[in-house]
Amino acid sequence: MISVQKLVKRYGTGANARLAVDDVSFEVDKGEVVGFLGPNGAGKSTTLRILSGFLGMTSGKVSVAGFDIRDQSFEARQKIGYMPEAVPLYPEMRVAEYLAFRAELKRVPRRDRPAFVDDAMAKANVDDVANVLIGSLSKGYRQRVGLADALVARPPLLVLDEPTAGLDPNQIREVRDVIRDLGKEHTVLLSTHILSEVEASCSRVVVIAKGKLVAEGTMESISRKRRAAGLVLVVRGDVEAALSAVRAVPGIAKAEPEASGTDTHELRCSWQKKLDEAGTAQAIEQAVAALVSAGCFVREVRPIRSSLEEVFAELTSSEHGHEHEHDEKADP
Amino acid sequence: MKSFWPIYKRELFAFFVTPLAWVLITVFLLVQGMHFFLLVDHFSNMGAAASDQTPIQAFFGNTILLYLVLFLLVPPMTMRLFAEERRSGTIESLMTAPVSSWSVVLAKYASVLTTYVAMWAPTVFYLVILQRSGEVDWGVAASAYLGVFLVGAGYLSLGLLMSAITTSQFLALIMTALVVLGLFILGVGEFVTREGTLMHDVCSHVSVWAHMNDFASGIIDSRRVVFYGSCVVLPLFVTVRAVDAWRWG
């Protein structure tokens, strides 16, 4: 549905030139909901603006639904429902009026327009404000009017730039629900800098930082990175015996006593590098078995997961920013 | 060109929904009404002394009032066209719809031109009133209105361009006013430079004062029509290039 190849965007010329997007390539297949993730200023909006036909690219090739965005811009733009970052709307228009205008602009035939507008308002949950001036709407409503605008011509592809930016938690949930429903009928590419956002609504993510692609893959393959950290075991019995038993388990790199209760001890273990999921599971079983045979009683087994935020920080921090980490799209 | 119509309608709507439009129209009609009243009063008192002119000629040419009105009217009409959309970001939704730069520029231009014509339309009643007590040469009146239309069309086109090259409405307003004023002053140069010099030729070619006097007397000179035609087409062309240029910034 979307194919981005070696996209480069440079702002300005000569000494003032700034590279906003640096050799980014990715694809979005039909029916996918893809999250476009990156810290602020990573080049997300620039990439989406190029995709939507608003900005020109410095070099590279972008095609949408098989149409080249440069040579067949017109056809490509007809396939996209684009919601810009700040959701710019005309404040002097009423919601239904505005959507009718947008539908006409997007060449919805005259006889279909009322139905398309009603449909978009129902899907985006703004039908109760159809006759309200856009200028007097709350931020949450405006955001959803922007969504309705993106939907109104029933495009096969939706490109949403930070659809939940600046909303309160309730509004975020509402918009998220709407997006999840939309994913059933449309291909969706949405950008965000909030990870839980992606986790809630996307099947695949593309992560960029400082204009470069740093990771791409399914949610599971990103989650696999977060399995990492280690294991906490709470045992009752002799600490030294427990430690030596655990340290002998293959897969465990380090084990340190962390805190002691009245009769229990907390042991913190970390995994060896590159231990896969099956290996981790096996190591946990073996650790428990080793503890029991060493005469210790196991009270608690608790895997330590690094939060998504930590994975995100690791992926997008400067040391990791330059190495390309491609995960295969197909997961085992 | 299919997208011309919705944008044109929206632009008209956006203009007439603001108080600015109604303030402009009210002030315009008040000033024109006073202008006309004073002229007719003057001519009916002076009688034979001013026999080389008619009120129509004086209304459309020969007095500073017409240019003052254009100078005050055109910049606030055109300032918001692109500058406002670029400042608020709505240009992004507009240009990502399947529209061509030409249709956006032409639709915006056509909407201000329509407004301009609508503002002048009520002044036809002045002539109708005049006809009740005297004689109106409708051929001359038509020529005068053609002049007003052409001059206004040229100025509006320049104003549209100024609005497209800045994101500040205020800057667009000032720049348009300066260009309109500059053209007027250059035209006045006709009367202060020596005849036969290049400067004199240039000044008389762009002299809106001389042009309007011709139009108001019923003289339609093809040079004037071509001049104002290019004042319309050239800025429109540059505006389209400017709109395309934002994308590659």
Side-chain angles (χ1 to χ4, degrees):
Chain A
M1 204 65 192
I2 302 177
S3 154
V4 177
Q5 281 158 33
K6 299 190 179 300
L7 179 66
V8 176
K9 173 69 184 178
R10 195 178 288 115
Y11 285 114
T13 48
N16 295 323
R18 192 171 64 79
L19 213 52
V21 179
D22 185 7
D23 195 23
V24 167
S25 307
F26 64 91
E27 308 241 336
V28 176
D29 293 330
K30 198 171 184 324
E32 279 188 306
V33 179
V34 174
F36 195 48
L37 200 63
N40 289 329
K44 299 189 298 283
S45 286
T46 301
T47 308
L48 295 189
R49 280 178 168 170
I50 292 170
L51 268 176
S52 65
F54 181 64
L55 273 184
M57 61 201 109
T58 306
S59 70
K61 191 171 159 57
V62 175
S63 69
V64 172
F67 296 109
D68 189 279
I69 195 74
R70 204 201 296 245
D71 303 333
Q72 296 158 296
S73 168
F74 223 77
E75 290 84 349
R77 276 184 280 167
Q78 275 193 300
K79 301 288 179 197
I80 306 180
Y82 172 58
M83 176 173 152
E85 187 173 9
V87 200
L89 302 165
Y90 296 114
E92 72 274 9
M93 294 181 101
R94 289 171 201 284
V95 173
E97 233 167 45
Y98 174 71
L99 292 174
F101 159 68
R102 294 294 294 175
E104 189 176 355
L105 206 58
K106 294 176 181 179
R107 313 210 164 178
V108 176
R110 177 185 291 273
R111 61 176 185 285
D112 294 339
R113 258 176 247 153
F116 274 46
V117 168
D118 287 346
D119 203 42
M121 285 197 295
K123 276 187 188 155
N125 252 327
V126 290
D127 28 11
D128 51 332
V129 292
N131 290 311
V132 178
L133 282 175
I134 290 171
S136 60
L137 289 178
S138 70
K139 181 104 172 89
Y141 266 116
R142 249 182 256 196
Q143 213 87 0
R144 279 181 282 156
V145 172
L147 262 180
D149 172 12
L151 287 173
V152 74
R154 300 187 184 167
L157 171 67
L158 295 178
V159 175
L160 314 173
D161 198 354
E162 308 235 352
T164 58
L167 300 182
D168 71 33
N170 286 329
Q171 294 168 327
I172 290 181
R173 206 174 48 236
E174 282 167 15
V175 169
R176 225 181 245 171
D177 288 345
V178 172
I179 292 172
R180 198 172 308 136
D181 283 342
L182 294 178
K184 291 169 191 157
E185 291 168 42
H186 303 262
T187 305
V188 182
L189 176 64
L190 68 93
S191 84
T192 176
H193 59 272
I194 305 162
L195 262 158
S196 54
E197 189 79 49
V198 173
E199 202 173 31
S201 33
C202 302
S203 55
R204 204 153 63 76
V205 283
V206 173
V207 187
I208 68 168
K210 292 184 178 157
K212 287 176 189 285
L213 190 79
V214 290
E216 184 193 353
T218 58
M219 270 323 288
E220 294 91 76
S221 69
I222 299 289
S223 304
R224 239 191 339 207
K225 292 182 197 299
R226 85 187 257 222
R227 167 198 46 77
L231 181 69
V232 171
L233 294 162
V234 180
V235 296
R236 186 162 62 83
D238 182 25
V239 197
E240 291 309 316
L243 275 176
S244 57
V246 168
R247 279 176 183 149
V249 172
I252 290 177
K254 237 172 35 182
E256 300 295 337
E258 212 177 47
S260 295
T262 45
D263 57 344
T264 58
H265 307 282
E266 202 171 304
L267 309 180
R268 194 183 187 90
C269 317
S270 54
W271 304 122
Q272 279 170 354
K273 273 193 180 156
K274 306 217 166 144
L275 192 65
D276 63 5
E277 211 152 354
T280 320
Q282 205 179 7
I284 294 173
E285 290 168 3
Q286 285 172 355
V288 174
L291 283 171
V292 172
S293 55
C296 299
F297 302 95
V298 181
R299 284 276 179 89
E300 209 177 315
V301 180
R302 192 169 73 229
I304 309 167
R305 290 187 184 280
S306 54
S307 67
L308 264 178
E309 276 68 23
E310 281 172 284
V311 177
F312 180 59
E314 197 180 315
L315 283 173
T316 56
S317 66
S318 49
E319 310 103 83
H320 293 73
H322 294 294
E323 62 185 65
H324 283 237
E325 264 186 83
H326 276 270
D327 269 313
E328 321 80 336
K329 271 191 229 165
D331 242 14
Chain B
M1 276 296 116
K2 239 181 164 180
S3 41
F4 173 87
W5 189 240
I7 301 173
Y8 172 72
K9 280 190 297 185
R10 205 212 77 80
E11 285 299 327
L12 279 182
F13 171 85
F15 185 66
F16 282 102
V17 87
T18 59
L20 175 71
W22 301 103
V23 170
L24 282 179
I25 292 174
T26 310
V27 170
F28 173 75
L29 287 178
L30 268 176
V31 169
Q32 292 297 59
M34 296 245 309
H35 181 193
F36 184 73
F37 172 78
L38 291 175
L39 281 173
V40 172
D41 195 45
H42 171 77
F43 277 97
S44 58
N45 289 337
M46 298 298 284
S51 59
D52 59 329
Q53 269 199 39
T54 66
I56 295 181
Q57 269 171 284
F59 185 58
F60 289 106
N62 263 338
T63 67
I64 189 82
L65 268 164
L66 175 83
Y67 313 106
L68 206 60
V69 165
L70 283 178
F71 174 71
L72 294 176
L73 185 70
V74 168
M77 277 175 79
T78 53
M79 65 178 183
R80 41 165 286 283
L81 288 170
F82 278 107
E84 188 182 38
E85 295 225 41
R86 286 180 73 193
R87 178 58 62 88
S88 71
T90 48
I91 194 75
E92 199 171 339
S93 342
L94 184 63
M95 300 309 292
T96 50
V99 298
S100 66
S101 307
W102 265 109
S103 57
V104 173
V105 171
L106 285 184
K108 282 178 177 286
Y109 180 63
S111 80
V112 277
L113 196 58
T114 308
T115 313
Y116 179 75
V117 170
M119 283 168 128
W120 274 98
T123 61
V124 177
F125 282 114
Y126 302 172
L127 305 185
V128 173
I129 293 166
L130 198 63
Q131 203 183 22
R132 291 173 64 127
S133 54
E135 220 172 291
V136 172
D137 185 338
W138 288 101
V140 171
S143 153
Y145 273 110
L146 178 69
V148 162
F149 176 78
L150 286 175
V151 173
Y155 285 177
L156 289 171
S157 182
L158 285 165
L160 178 75
L161 173 60
M162 296 303 150
S163 181
I165 59 178
T166 170
T167 54
S168 155
Q169 290 193 47
F170 183 67
L171 208 56
L173 176 93
I174 298 296
M175 289 198 299
T176 311
L178 284 180
V179 170
V180 168
L181 188 66
L183 275 176
F184 183 77
I185 290 173
L186 197 61
V188 172
E190 185 189 2
F191 304 106
V192 294
T193 51
R194 230 166 346 107
E195 210 156 321
T197 59
L198 177 71
M199 197 58 198
H200 179 85
D201 289 349
V202 171
C203 290
S204 69
H205 187 64
V206 302
S207 171
V208 66
W209 184 278
H211 299 171
M212 276 314 296
N213 283 351
D214 277 3
F215 281 118
S217 320
I219 303 165
I220 300 174
D221 189 332
S222 57
R223 279 177 305 172
R224 315 293 183 236
V225 178
V226 170
F227 174 70
Y228 287 108
S230 32
C231 274
V232 171
V233 174
L234 219 62
L236 283 184
F237 181 76
V238 180
T239 307
V240 173
R241 308 311 295 173
V243 169
D244 285 336
W246 304 331
R247 300 188 178 197
W248 307 100

